[in-house]
Amino acid sequence: MRYVFFAVIIGLLQLFSLGAALSLQWWLQPWTTSALQTAVMITVFIISNGLLLLSVSKLLANSYRWVSGWMLVMHFIILTAGFTGAVYGSYLLSTMVFGSIISQPETIAFGLRVFAFVLFIGLFVYALHSAYVPVVRKRTIHINKSMQGQLRIAVASDLHLGRLFGSRAIDRLGRVLVEQRADMLLMPGDIMDDNTHAYAAYDMQTNLTKLCNQLPLGVYATLGNHDLYGHERPISDSLRSAGVHLLNDDVLCINHQDQPVWLIGRFDNHKRERVATTELLSQVDTTVPVILLDHRPSDIIEHSKLPIDLQVSGHTHDGQIFPANFIVRAINRLGYGYEAIGLGHFVVSSGYGFWGIPFRLGSRSEVWLITVQSAV
């Protein structure tokens, strides 16, 4: 299965390279010779496969970022070419109905290339904005249990704290939580970007400690797959030192308006020996509100049959880059968003941070604010 996966990745890389090279050849056509057109094709394939070899051989530091970045460039080139083609097709259709508006083909060709260039740059600007400027998704849910007042829960998954997303992002999150008057923050996994190197180098603990002190009921988290790639201990220690309550296959009862609320946190299923949800539920009083943090939304169907009032998850990033968001939603019962399923309410966030490269298209950096109220 592993070899099939790598074969698919290599095949996709070649298809991306071909599409990007053909698109570039079209854009450069008025200013290049046939020899330069061939050089463009060869150069694109050399860059793609060169980066792939450097990544496999591990000769290039952070090679996955370079490969991901180049894939994004090619993807945006292809999207630009496709959209420009659609615009040109629409123009041709309009000339059939209303007649030719522009008589000079050279003017049309130049205009299309200007449009393509502006669109290409615009995609990068928009994708960068979508990765760094969060939106707040608000949802009020009613649970079939007695509860005093309302509990305002903020959810920020998949921060991936590292060199590209760090202290400023933490401070921005803190300002959002204060503005939204959140009672508590839940972080369901992938808090660090694989390790604590950048977290320590940029002293992010100061920022995270300040954030934890701003929440009346505190900050609670569980570890995701990127927190478990060989650096579980330093990541756990760093989070606890900042004031984050870690729930790794653990339960905790908090007090909200003199009423108990149970929190359950599970390890990501990257840790194969993690405790079953049913075993964790046996340790809590399910007649009061129960909230589950589970990094991946893979067990939602099973959890919908259990006395869990709210589950918060992440992991999917809602695909991060179009059209992967459609794939994510196709292979998961709930790949993104909110849905009431069975006995509970489920929220899968696209994440506050990003993985690999600081771009999002078709998804947004986000914070969820879930207001929990009693329906009885």
Side-chain angles (χ1 to χ4, degrees):
M1 188 65 185
R2 183 179 180 182
Y3 295 107
V4 172
F5 173 77
F6 281 117
V8 170
I9 294 298
I10 293 172
L12 286 175
L13 184 63
Q14 308 314 310
L15 287 175
F16 266 65
S17 300
L18 179 61
L22 291 173
S23 301
L24 282 173
Q25 284 180 333
W26 166 81
W27 195 84
L28 295 169
Q29 185 179 12
W31 308 289
T32 58
T33 63
S34 59
L36 286 175
Q37 291 275 304
T38 302
V40 168
M41 178 72 71
I42 293 173
T43 300
V44 170
F45 274 90
I46 287 176
I47 294 174
S48 296
N49 291 284
L51 286 172
L52 179 63
L53 289 173
L54 288 172
S55 177
V56 172
S57 62
K58 299 182 179 179
L59 294 175
L60 181 65
N62 294 318
S63 59
Y64 70 95
R65 292 194 195 277
W66 288 97
V67 173
S68 299
W70 176 241
M71 287 281 286
L72 183 76
V73 170
M74 293 193 295
H75 182 45
F76 281 7
I77 289 173
I78 294 169
L79 286 178
T80 298
F83 198 78
T84 303
V87 169
Y88 183 54
S90 299
Y91 170 76
L92 291 178
L93 185 61
S94 69
T95 60
M96 295 172 62
V97 178
F98 304 106
S100 180
I101 301 172
I102 303 173
S103 58
Q104 296 296 326
E106 295 83 4
T107 303
I108 297 173
F110 180 75
L112 286 172
R113 283 165 173 80
V114 171
F115 172 80
F117 179 77
V118 172
L119 177 60
F120 179 72
I121 299 300
L123 282 174
F124 272 97
V125 173
Y126 177 74
L128 190 67
H129 172 83
S130 297
Y132 278 109
V133 181
V135 294
V136 178
R137 315 283 190 195
K138 296 183 179 180
R139 171 68 62 171
T140 298
I141 65 173
H142 296 85
I143 63 174
N144 295 316
K145 292 177 183 177
S146 177
M147 185 176 178
Q148 296 296 324
Q150 60 183 24
L151 177 61
R152 296 171 65 84
I153 302 172
V155 180
S157 73
D158 301 275
L159 277 72
H160 290 275
L161 295 175
R163 296 188 183 280
L164 301 179
F165 199 81
S167 300
R168 291 184 180 180
I170 297 172
D171 291 342
R172 186 186 306 115
L173 177 59
R175 291 192 295 270
V176 169
L177 300 183
V178 171
E179 290 171 3
Q180 299 299 325
R181 295 180 291 109
D183 294 316
M184 61 193 298
L185 171 64
L186 304 182
M187 298 192 296
D190 280 2
I191 301 158
M192 301 288 182
D193 201 21
D194 296 346
N195 56 58
T196 59
H197 299 164
Y199 180 85
Y202 294 100
D203 189 27
M204 296 182 204
Q205 180 168 318
T206 300
N207 308 84
L208 189 56
T209 300
K210 178 183 176 182
L211 183 149
C212 290
N213 292 333
Q214 292 175 317
L215 279 300
L217 296 180
V219 179
Y220 305 86
T222 191
L223 299 184
N225 53 303
H226 282 272
D227 303 312
L228 298 173
Y229 293 154
H231 297 269
E232 176 187 339
R233 177 59 63 83
I235 289 175
S236 297
D237 291 344
S238 297
L239 292 174
R240 289 192 178 102
S241 296
V244 177
H245 301 274
L246 271 185
L247 297 171
N248 295 326
D249 284 346
D250 202 0
V251 302
L252 178 68
C253 184
I254 64 172
N255 185 287
H256 171 63
Q257 297 187 10
D258 296 325
Q259 181 179 7
V261 175
W262 281 96
L263 301 179
I264 301 175
R266 300 186 75 196
F267 272 118
D268 178 75
N269 66 10
H270 181 76
K271 187 179 279 288
R272 295 182 180 180
E273 65 274 17
R274 69 173 179 166
V275 178
T277 306
T278 51
E279 184 175 337
L280 293 170
L281 276 171
S282 68
Q283 304 173 39
V284 310
D285 179 3
T286 57
T287 65
V288 300
V290 176
I291 301 169
L292 171 67
L293 292 79
D294 198 358
H295 179 58
R296 303 191 199 211
S298 51
D299 292 334
I300 281 180
I301 295 177
E302 293 81 358
H303 291 169
S304 68
K305 304 171 185 177
L306 301 175
I308 298 169
D309 299 294
L310 170 65
Q311 174 180 324
V312 296
S313 300
H315 182 67
T316 67
H317 291 237
D318 194 20
Q320 188 160 325
I321 301 292
F322 168 88
N325 47 333
F326 292 106
I327 299 173
V328 161
R329 300 184 192 197
I331 65 177
N332 290 282
R333 172 60 182 82
L334 180 62
Y336 170 73
Y338 162 81
E339 189 175 347
I341 306 173
L343 299 177
H345 300 265
F346 298 85
V347 170
V348 181
S349 174
S350 66
Y352 179 61
F354 49 81
W355 179 81
I357 50 178
F359 297 97
R360 284 180 174 269
L361 185 65
S363 68
R364 284 295 302 267
S365 166
E366 67 181 19
V367 178
W368 280 79
L369 183 70
I370 306 167
T371 302
V372 183
Q373 298 177 341
S374 175
V376 297

